[in-house]
Amino acid sequence: MSEQADVGPLFRRLSAIPEATVSRRRSGPGEGELGVVETLQLLVPSAAVLTVAIRTLPAFIRSRRSSVTVTLTQGDRSVTITGANLDDPQMVLEITDRLLGHD
């Protein structure tokens, strides 16, 4: 996720979820690029905690003016969502959750 100032509220919200561990990493731009990329990594002990975390994402995605990329990984399965101005981020995240096998 990019734009460091915009990631702070999501980091704080995810950090408040009981039993969730959130780490934050910033990296500089690649050669010929501008800007900073900031990545949040969320580790959860169960599908229930993951569900709580996923429910925090739609408001964050809706508030973004630039594009956002969210990757959800469980075991050896991973789903990445990339978009800008998503009309219904909740629906996108529900589909992602199903793809990870959380029917």
Side-chain angles (χ1 to χ4, degrees):
M1 296 180 189
S2 61
E3 298 183 23
Q4 172 189 350
D6 290 337
V7 178
L10 179 61
F11 175 75
R12 288 187 293 279
R13 182 174 273 183
L14 292 173
S15 295
I17 297 172
E19 300 182 56
T21 303
V22 184
S23 61
R24 193 172 179 176
R25 190 181 82 214
R26 185 181 323 168
S27 60
E31 189 173 325
E33 298 177 335
L34 298 174
V36 174
V37 173
E38 188 152 3
T39 303
L40 299 180
Q41 180 179 32
L42 175 68
L43 301 173
V44 295
S46 67
V49 178
L50 178 61
T51 299
V52 172
I54 288 172
R55 287 182 182 154
T56 69
L57 295 174
F60 172 76
I61 292 171
R62 261 189 232 105
S63 71
R64 303 280 300 196
R65 284 178 254 158
S66 62
S67 66
V68 64
T69 299
V70 176
T71 301
L72 301 171
T73 303
Q74 179 178 6
D76 62 347
R77 295 167 47 175
S78 183
V79 177
T80 299
I81 304 166
T82 300
N85 300 324
L86 296 174
D87 291 333
D88 190 354
Q90 181 64 41
M91 183 178 66
V92 172
L93 291 168
E94 287 173 7
I95 291 167
T96 301
D97 199 40
R98 280 189 224 125
L99 289 171
L100 288 173
H102 302 144
D103 294 323

